[in-house]
Amino acid sequence: MKITFKIWRQEGANSEGSLKTYDIDGLTEDMSFLEALDHLNERLVLKGEKVVAFDHDCREGICGQCGVFINGRAHGPHDHMTTCQLHMRSFKDGDIIVVEPYRAGAFPVIKDLVVDRTAFDRIIEQGAYITAKTGTAAEANAILIPKEVADSSMDVAACIGCGACVATCKNASAALFTSAKINHLNKLPQGHPEAHKRVLDMTNQMAIENFGSCTFTAACEVECPAGISISSIAEMNARYIKAKLFE
């Protein structure tokens, strides 16, 4: 395959960036998208040029590090898929592929396709954990939890924190991410003692980080690799009202 990449190049957060064009051949449809970027970088090294900086880690769809915009969509052309799970078979020989970093005020560009997503970490620090000393791992049935509750908690715990929800939202809202981290624990008995404090502290930090407000357009749900529903946001809002009443 021969592909034309138009990739955003930006030296640093305070530098001016632009799209640069790269024609690359020798690709195969079995390559992952990140392997295609690796192939491009190898060519750039041989030419003595600076490689394209992009985030990646596990390359198994579970770490959330590889998020970029591909032809105007977070993670690429498919629903519920991470960038590293995308393969070149999704494109045709001769295609032009535009690759850009996530665009959000709370996600400043570090270099090229790499953005700073530590705003998510600071939200997590405000309550996405329990403080009870649990000791060693308990038996699986030591705390009885109804299956529907456990399943519901696991559905939102699937969030990998990639930031696609923020990047695709017209308001750059982090409501889907924050609600997933709140509801994951608040649904379970282990999270009940700090449930009110958790929802107030984490939503407050979300506001401090200058994420936008949610207007329920559901764009985040479409682009979320884990397929987390915007019903999670509605649940967070209900928990927030309850927390304000009973804190």
Side-chain angles (χ1 to χ4, degrees), residues 120 123-124 127-129 152-161 165-166 173-188 195 198-207 211-212 214 216 220-221 224 226-240:
F120 274 4
I123 293 174
I124 291 289
Y129 52 83
S152 180
S153 176
M154 287 300 295
D155 284 344
V156 288
C159 171
I160 59 175
C165 53
V166 174
S173 170
L176 191 67
F177 165 81
T178 306
S179 68
K181 299 306 179 184
I182 289 172
N183 295 330
H184 162 213
L185 291 174
N186 280 18
K187 290 173 183 288
L188 300 174
R198 178 178 296 111
V199 69
L200 294 175
D201 289 350
M202 291 181 68
T203 53
N204 180 61
Q205 187 64 38
M206 178 176 64
F211 288 106
C214 173
F216 271 85
C220 55
E221 179 180 309
C224 176
I228 296 173
S229 170
I230 59 170
S231 63
S232 177
I233 301 174
E235 185 173 350
M236 176 184 71
N237 292 341
R239 291 184 185 279
Y240 179 84

Side-chain angles (χ1 to χ4, degrees), residues 27-202:
L27 303 176
T28 70
E29 63 178 16
D30 294 324
M31 281 183 171
S32 72
F33 188 83
L34 296 188
E35 286 173 331
L37 292 181
D38 289 336
H39 187 68
L40 169 60
N41 279 342
E42 289 171 2
R43 297 290 182 91
L44 293 177
V45 168
L46 293 175
K47 292 179 180 179
E49 299 180 23
K50 291 183 179 180
V51 299
V52 177
F54 62 94
D55 270 333
H56 63 92
D57 190 8
C58 73
R59 300 201 179 200
E60 295 179 349
I62 57 176
C63 76
Q65 296 301 303
C66 63
V68 291
F69 255 77
I70 302 170
N71 288 344
R73 285 194 67 180
H75 292 302
H78 303 299
D79 296 346
H80 311 313
M81 180 182 288
T82 59
T83 303
C84 64
Q85 293 173 313
L86 178 66
H87 284 74
M88 295 308 294
R89 67 178 68 97
S90 298
F91 305 97
K92 300 189 296 294
D93 185 43
D95 274 358
I96 298 174
I97 304 175
V98 181
V99 190
E100 301 172 272
Y102 282 169
R103 305 292 189 181
F107 289 167
V109 174
I110 296 174
K111 185 176 182 180
D112 296 341
L113 304 177
V114 180
V115 299
D116 182 354
R117 285 176 281 193
T118 54
F120 274 4
D121 297 333
R122 291 188 288 272
I123 293 174
I124 291 289
E125 288 169 357
Q126 295 304 311
Y129 52 83
I130 61 172
T131 57
K133 294 182 179 181
T134 59
T136 56
E139 291 293 330
N141 60 353
I143 300 176
L144 299 179
I145 302 173
K147 185 178 185 302
E148 60 272 18
V149 173
D151 288 347
S152 180
S153 176
M154 287 300 295
D155 284 344
V156 288
C159 171
I160 59 175
C162 67
C165 53
V166 174
T168 200
C169 175
K170 65 179 183 180
N171 304 323
S173 170
L176 191 67
F177 165 81
T178 306
S179 68
K181 299 306 179 184
I182 289 172
N183 295 330
H184 162 213
L185 291 174
N186 280 18
K187 290 173 183 288
L188 300 174
Q190 296 94 326
H192 288 176
E194 296 161 306
H196 293 338
K197 186 176 187 302
R198 178 178 296 111
V199 69
L200 294 175
D201 289 350
M202 291 181 68

